Structures are given as C-alpha cells and as structure tokens.
C-alpha cells in the first residue's frame, strides 16, 4: 500500500531557530496536509495544499507541495516552546483514503 | 461551532472482550472516519462512514465494525479484543466524503490486558 516517509524522525532545536522537515512518497498525491499532535490529543490541521508547487503560510509555518506531487515540506520559523509536538504529513487522493506519515517529533530547548 | 468529541477518553479491557467507542462529528460535517494510532506511529485508516453507510475501509479485520447515525455521530466496535488492539482510536469528521481536510477528536485510548 501507499506509504509516506518523514524526515527527520526527531529533532532537538534551540528556541528561536528555524525548523525544516519533509515528507516523501513513492506515489502521487493530489492533496498534502500537515498536522500537529500534542501529547494526549488528536492531530490538529496546520496547513492544506492542493496544487503542485503551491506554497502556503499559516503564521510562522510555511508548507510547499512538491512539483512531482510526491513530496512536501514544512518550515517553522523562529521556533517557540509551544511548537513542541509531533508533526504528521498526510497525502490524499480523491476517492481514496488519507495516508499518514510516521511523524517528526520536535523538541524545543529553551 | 462544536468540534469533534469522543468518548470515553480512556478505557481498559481484557483480551477477548468487546468495546464500543463513540464520536460526535463537528457541527455541519456529514462524514466520519476512524483511525487507529499505535504508540509512536501515524494514524492508520480503519473506515469511513458517509450517509450512514461504510464508504471505504482500510486493512483491518471484520471484527472492527462501525455505525453512523442520522445525526452523523458514529460508533466504532471492536470484538474479540487482542493485545495489539491497544492504541489511540481517533475519530475525524469532514464535510463530504471526498473533501481534502479532516478534523480530529482527542481520541479514545484503549488498553487491552
């Protein structure tokens, strides 16, 4: 079945640093989404991307839909302690299921 | 606007028992999907319900079943529980069966002993 890979698996950064993480697939997706999950809670939608090459921002977050439609990346600028959590990418095609990656665990050191 | 709510938040069962988890969709959303999230992994699709009918199913055995009610709320039932069923079960609602956005509840954490 379809699988997504996320890198890095985990990362430790200093508060104020920028963060970059990415998601790759062997299959094409028409929609890419990024979610954040805090401990004990469900994933929260951060950004949705609908067109290849699309670059979308949500506050300090910026995500891009790769030209090949097989990848996406998420950048977080000027990280703060509340950015801590697990970031999941998800791919979606019309009429099919959402496929989630294994997540990138972000830790922010003060 | 009311978000997705799930109950119970935590529960403990023993192997072989049955469990029912409940979900109320976000206001105005008519489609509900269920996901299983094992520790340290991403959510895995179980099935989706649209207009009270199952509309897509992931790689889960028949002992995982569900229902959707006229008010769009939903239940996930798991029979003959196994130890590997221990996980966070997430409900997600969306506006329509083919929309590109899911909105999740906080999940029900099931522990099978």
């Amino acid at each position: 079945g379809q699988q997504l890979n996320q890198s890095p698996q985990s990362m430790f950064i200093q508060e104020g640093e920028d963060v970059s993480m990415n998601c790759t697939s062997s299959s094409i997706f028409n929609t890419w989404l990024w979610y954040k999950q805090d401990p004990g809670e469900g994933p929260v939608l951060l950004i949705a991307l609908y067109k290849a090459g699309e670059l979308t921002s949500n506050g300090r977050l910026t995500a891009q839909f790769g030209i090949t439609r097989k990848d996406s990346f998420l950048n977080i600028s000027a990280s703060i302690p509340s950015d801590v959590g697990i970031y999941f990418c998800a791919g979606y095609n019309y009429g099919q299921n959402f496929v989630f990656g294994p997540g990138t665990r972000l830790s922010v050191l003060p | 606007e009311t978000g997705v709510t799930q109950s119970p938040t935590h529960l403990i069962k023993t192997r072989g028992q049955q469990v029912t988890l409940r979900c109320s969709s976000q206001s105005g959303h008519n489609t509900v999907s269920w996901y299983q999230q094992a520790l340290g992994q991403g959510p895995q699709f179980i099935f989706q319900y649209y207009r009270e009918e199952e509309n897509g199913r992931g790689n889960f055995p028949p002992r995982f079943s569900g229902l959707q009610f006229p008010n769009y709320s939903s239940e996930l039932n798991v029979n003959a529980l196994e130890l590997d069923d221990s996980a966070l079960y997430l409900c997600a609602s969306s506006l329509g069966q083919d929309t590109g956005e899911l909105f999740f509840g906080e999940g029900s954490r099931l522990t099978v002993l």
Side-chain angles (χ1 to χ4, degrees):
Chain A
Q2 295 171 313
Q3 283 189 321
L4 300 183
N5 299 304
Q6 288 189 245
S7 64
Q9 277 189 310
S10 61
M11 53 197 314
F12 292 81
I13 61 168
Q14 293 289 137
E15 184 176 351
E17 287 184 350
D18 296 344
V19 173
S20 184
M21 60 187 79
N22 75 324
C23 182
T24 59
S25 170
S26 57
S27 305
I28 289 173
F29 287 103
N30 293 318
T31 301
W32 284 94
L33 305 103
W34 286 92
Y35 287 84
K36 177 176 183 272
Q37 187 174 29
D38 292 329
E41 299 188 11
V44 173
L45 180 63
L46 299 174
I47 292 179
L49 302 156
Y50 298 102
K51 286 169 52 174
E54 179 182 354
L55 186 71
T56 297
S57 293
N58 178 9
R60 294 178 297 106
L61 277 60
T62 302
Q64 185 157 28
F65 191 141
I67 290 291
T68 65
R69 294 196 282 156
K70 291 184 178 182
D71 62 349
S72 177
F73 72 76
L74 176 70
N75 286 341
I76 305 173
S77 62
S79 58
I80 60 177
S82 62
D83 291 333
V84 166
I86 304 176
Y87 291 80
F88 292 100
C89 63
Y92 174 76
N93 288 323
Y94 182 84
Q96 298 178 15
N97 313 326
F98 283 79
V99 179
F100 283 82
T104 291
R105 183 180 296 273
L106 177 64
S107 300
V108 179
L109 306 173
Chain B
E1 186 178 88
T2 306
V4 178
T5 58
Q6 294 186 241
S7 62
T9 54
H10 296 82
L11 70 168
I12 299 174
K13 293 284 188 178
T14 56
R15 198 169 43 183
Q17 285 189 313
Q18 179 265 343
V19 68
T20 297
L21 307 178
R22 295 177 176 83
C23 172
S24 293
S25 62
Q26 183 166 316
S27 177
H29 286 186
N30 57 13
T31 303
V32 171
S33 304
W34 287 92
Y35 288 79
Q36 181 195 65
Q37 186 178 24
L39 203 60
Q41 297 183 24
Q44 298 292 315
F45 176 72
I46 302 175
F47 42 55
Q48 181 187 77
Y49 277 84
Y50 173 69
R51 291 187 175 178
E52 302 175 54
E53 291 193 2
E54 187 178 291
N55 176 42
R57 187 179 184 94
N59 188 26
F60 281 82
R63 59 190 185 83
F64 285 77
S65 63
L67 284 173
Q68 186 179 32
F69 301 100
N71 66 354
Y72 307 133
S73 66
S74 177
E75 286 183 356
L76 164 66
N77 299 291
V78 187
N79 294 323
L81 284 167
E82 301 176 0
L83 297 180
D84 284 348
D85 294 334
S86 296
L88 181 68
Y89 287 85
L90 294 163
C91 171
S93 74
S94 56
L95 183 60
Q97 58 181 326
D98 289 316
T99 183
E101 297 181 16
L102 293 176
F103 296 88
F104 285 89
E106 294 194 350
S108 294
R109 182 161 297 282
L110 171 65
T111 301
V112 182
L113 304 176

